[in-house]
Amino acid sequence: MSPWCSRPLRPLLLLSLSLGWGAGAGANPWPGVERPSIGPARVIGAPANGCLAGAEVLPGAGPGYLSVRRWRGRYYGHPRLLALIEALGRAQQARDERLVLVGDLSQPRGGRMSGGHRSHQHGLDVDLWLTLAASPADARALLDEGDPPSLVSDDRVNRHWGEDARFLIEWAARRPEVDRLFVNPAIKRTLCDATGGADWLRKVRPWWGHDAHTHVRLACPEDSPACEPQSPIPAGPGCGAELDWWFSAEARRPGSGRRAAEPTPPAACARLLHAP
Ligand SMILES: [Zn+2]
């Protein structure tokens, strides 16, 4: 997410919102949507091709957490996601007075973003920075300089890794409503070594990047029959050959993280764009 977090993009984003995000072929209408639809929260489609009806707003701050970079307008989610963030804040509050920094959720009706993420489209994804802030002022200082620090250098965790990041990852992985979360392969390897391959590591999935933040994804809620579940995670903690692959020459080859073409959004999402 880092290339899209820098401040110079802000005027561009605001301009695009005020112009309704262009009218040309391939224009993406979702970032221009200003408010959630009316009615109950319903997740539609998949994380990287979906939308969200009846989204709720994550408050700017709550016990133990702070929602940051609000100008991006990506603080909408399914109520279950908001409840998870609030529970995490309370869990952090029980540790000490510092704050969890909550990054992007979804846009008011979800959908594709103008940049920064391919997923986060259906209100069940949230990014959590792996560095805690001592106060809102400390959070501002941390984010004014760019992104909070990476916890990984040369395929190993560095001096920024520690109990705080482990707390965030383990807490989320142990929650039953969490489907999976993404961390840098070096972070997963460190957790595998530290725990001897604990069961909760199954949900902790290695992925490129994710060295300063983790991305937490909830499972489809029962209230949303149009939510498409992801393919199941393989059994076991995923600490063996599966993890080793990420450090192989094949994984490092340019293009191994290449992404598929843009999918066609579900029809229900096209309708949601124009719903009241
Ligand atoms: Zn994310």
Side-chain angles (χ1 to χ4, degrees), residues 201-252:
L201 284 171
R202 179 162 175 254
K203 288 188 196 175
V204 180
R205 311 298 297 157
W207 200 257
W208 287 275
H210 298 85
D211 51 358
H213 78 283
T214 181
H215 172 129
V216 178
R217 174 169 298 154
L218 299 194
C220 285
E222 311 77 56
D223 63 18
S224 298
C227 177
E228 293 170 24
Q230 290 214 274
S231 47
I233 301 171
C239 289
E242 179 196 338
L243 180 59
D244 292 342
W245 177 83
W246 288 88
F247 301 93
S248 69
E250 184 191 357
R252 293 166 205 273

Side-chain angles (χ1 to χ4, degrees), residues 1 104 117 119-120 125-127 210 213-215:
M1 66 197 257
D104 287 353
H117 311 277
S119 57
H120 287 254
D125 289 343
V126 59
D127 286 337
H210 298 85
H213 78 283
T214 181
H215 172 129

Side-chain angles (χ1 to χ4, degrees), residues 6 19 24 35 61 77-78 88 91 97 109 128 169 176 249-250 256 259 273:
S6 54
L19 295 177
R35 63 186 72 83
H78 186 278
L88 171 60
E97 291 180 350
R109 299 188 188 193
L128 302 172
I169 293 165
E250 184 191 357
S256 72
R259 295 165 158 187
L273 259 182

Side-chain angles (χ1 to χ4, degrees), residues 127-147:
D127 286 337
L128 302 172
W129 292 104
L130 292 170
T131 300
L132 301 175
S135 65
D138 180 42
R140 271 192 298 279
L142 203 57
L143 294 161
D144 272 351
E145 293 164 12
D147 287 347

